[in-house]
Amino acid sequence: MDRLKTFLIYTLIVVGFFIFSEFLINVSLNTTYKTIGRKDNLTQVQIYQAEATKVNGRMKGTIYQTQENPIEAKYLQVDFYSARNVKLGTKYIEVEKGKEEQEFELYFRLNNVNYYDISRTNEKTQTEMELLPADLTKPEIIVGTIFAILMFM
């Protein structure tokens, strides 16, 4: 019985350390993100999160299309710039016709992004930058953690 108690205590210590370290890692990574600026005046596009670190970034927003103020273009072109107005990269967001609200998320890997500019276009005229994979959702993290714990047991 004492051996089982000791095993249980060690297991709880390892799991507690894992949860604590994951918490610290996520907090430290999220504190490195700084808000980046916007240099356009498109009223149909609302950005509620635009952040970047020294090497990558993320942008989340919503496209609103009303009958009075629709977006006639096929794509929204997002250009990313440095502090010295050097264009670092371009990403296109396809505008879905007939939807009043369209959510979008962009994850990018560019160095020292300072601001972005959104414009409308009907065709992709430049090469798109490579996107980063999306953030893991909470259920994916939980399942991955359970599999990792099972592998070590």
Short mmCIF file of all heavy atoms in Angstrom, two decimals, residues 3 6 19 31 66 111 118 121 149:
data_model
loop_
_atom_site.label_atom_id
_atom_site.label_comp_id
_atom_site.label_asym_id
_atom_site.label_seq_id
_atom_site.Cartn_x
_atom_site.Cartn_y
_atom_site.Cartn_z
N ARG A 3 3.83 1.56 -1.22
CA ARG A 3 4.44 1.69 -2.55
C ARG A 3 3.47 2.34 -3.54
O ARG A 3 3.86 3.16 -4.35
CB ARG A 3 4.88 0.32 -3.03
CG ARG A 3 5.70 0.37 -4.28
CD ARG A 3 6.20 -1.03 -4.60
NE ARG A 3 7.01 -0.99 -5.76
CZ ARG A 3 8.32 -1.16 -5.76
NH1 ARG A 3 8.96 -1.38 -4.64
NH2 ARG A 3 8.99 -1.13 -6.89
N THR A 6 3.28 6.06 -2.79
CA THR A 6 4.48 6.74 -3.30
C THR A 6 4.39 6.93 -4.81
O THR A 6 4.71 8.01 -5.33
CB THR A 6 5.74 5.91 -2.95
OG1 THR A 6 5.76 5.67 -1.55
CG2 THR A 6 7.00 6.64 -3.36
N ILE A 19 1.70 20.67 -15.88
CA ILE A 19 0.66 21.71 -16.01
C ILE A 19 1.24 23.08 -15.68
O ILE A 19 0.99 24.06 -16.39
CB ILE A 19 -0.54 21.37 -15.10
CG1 ILE A 19 -1.26 20.14 -15.64
CG2 ILE A 19 -1.50 22.56 -15.00
CD1 ILE A 19 -2.32 19.59 -14.72
N THR A 31 3.10 37.10 -23.78
CA THR A 31 3.58 38.43 -23.41
C THR A 31 4.57 39.00 -24.42
O THR A 31 4.83 40.20 -24.41
CB THR A 31 4.25 38.43 -22.02
OG1 THR A 31 5.33 37.50 -22.03
CG2 THR A 31 3.26 38.09 -20.94
N THR A 66 -22.84 44.61 -45.87
CA THR A 66 -24.25 44.96 -45.85
C THR A 66 -24.68 45.25 -47.28
O THR A 66 -23.85 45.45 -48.17
CB THR A 66 -24.50 46.19 -44.97
OG1 THR A 66 -23.74 47.29 -45.48
CG2 THR A 66 -24.09 45.91 -43.53
N ASN A 111 9.62 39.05 -40.07
CA ASN A 111 10.46 39.70 -39.07
C ASN A 111 10.10 41.17 -38.91
O ASN A 111 9.98 41.90 -39.90
CB ASN A 111 11.93 39.59 -39.44
CG ASN A 111 12.43 38.17 -39.37
OD1 ASN A 111 11.91 37.37 -38.60
ND2 ASN A 111 13.43 37.86 -40.16
N ILE A 118 -4.76 47.04 -45.49
CA ILE A 118 -5.72 46.16 -46.14
C ILE A 118 -6.33 46.89 -47.33
O ILE A 118 -6.75 48.04 -47.21
CB ILE A 118 -6.84 45.74 -45.16
CG1 ILE A 118 -6.24 45.01 -43.97
CG2 ILE A 118 -7.86 44.84 -45.86
CD1 ILE A 118 -7.24 44.65 -42.90
N THR A 121 -8.96 43.73 -53.93
CA THR A 121 -8.43 43.38 -55.24
C THR A 121 -9.25 42.23 -55.81
O THR A 121 -9.88 41.47 -55.08
CB THR A 121 -6.93 42.98 -55.15
OG1 THR A 121 -6.44 42.74 -56.45
CG2 THR A 121 -6.73 41.77 -54.28
N ILE A 149 1.04 11.68 -21.56
CA ILE A 149 1.11 11.07 -20.23
C ILE A 149 1.03 9.55 -20.35
O ILE A 149 1.76 8.82 -19.67
CB ILE A 149 0.00 11.63 -19.31
CG1 ILE A 149 0.29 13.09 -18.98
CG2 ILE A 149 -0.14 10.81 -18.04
CD1 ILE A 149 -0.84 13.79 -18.26
#
